[in-house]
Amino acid sequence: MSEQTLVNAPEQSPGAPAPTPTEVFGGKEPAAVPAEPPAAEPTPAGEPAEVTVDYRALYEKAQAEARALADAAKAADAEVASFKSRLAEMEVSVLRHQEAARVNLPADLAARLKGETAAEIAADARKLAALVAPKPVTGKGGLEPDAPAEHDPEAITRRIRAISF
């Protein structure tokens, strides 16, 4: 079998780089060049016919593979963007829970903290902790805060004299 070469292709030395498709097709895009089937050459009797290559079919197959790869790359990019946004949400959630634990907020209130940065979340956690912090119990009077208040002055006097004397 003889070796096939491209028509009008520039000769190149074995060490030279391969020509680009634009160079091979005379400055035109490969899709703009009409596909011409190779001319069938009559073969002398007894010799096997030379195998013809359907370059148009090979080109279309390569284009389809390139489109499939481009679609797969777009899908992968969309998936990466989705994962990046989920990661950012999780990082903010972890910051909220850490800050809530630092200022002794209940875990249920950690999700209510606002902000996207650590400083914003910390400021909001301090504000919320001030609102939620238990207020000191003032009591009803006397030494025992839970003891019932006495409003009878004579009873208070008797109790004080019993303790003092």
Side-chain angles (χ1 to χ4, degrees), residues 72-160:
K74 286 179 185 176
D77 288 343
E79 191 173 2
V80 165
S82 170
F83 285 135
K84 284 184 178 180
S85 68
R86 283 181 55 200
L87 176 64
E89 289 171 8
M90 288 180 185
E91 286 176 341
V92 170
S93 176
V94 167
L95 282 173
R96 287 182 178 140
H97 281 83
Q98 286 175 342
E99 193 59 34
R102 192 180 69 73
V103 295
N104 297 325
L105 282 175
D108 295 339
L109 294 178
R112 295 180 183 256
L113 295 177
K114 296 181 181 179
E116 296 297 321
T117 65
E120 292 171 352
I121 293 171
D124 191 42
R126 285 190 300 273
K127 287 178 189 175
L128 187 59
L131 293 174
V132 177
K135 304 284 188 253
V137 178
T138 57
K140 298 177 187 166
L143 297 175
E144 299 174 20
D146 295 331
E150 293 180 10
H151 298 292
D152 183 17
E154 292 178 4
I156 295 172
T157 306
R158 280 191 301 269
R159 200 174 51 135
I160 294 173

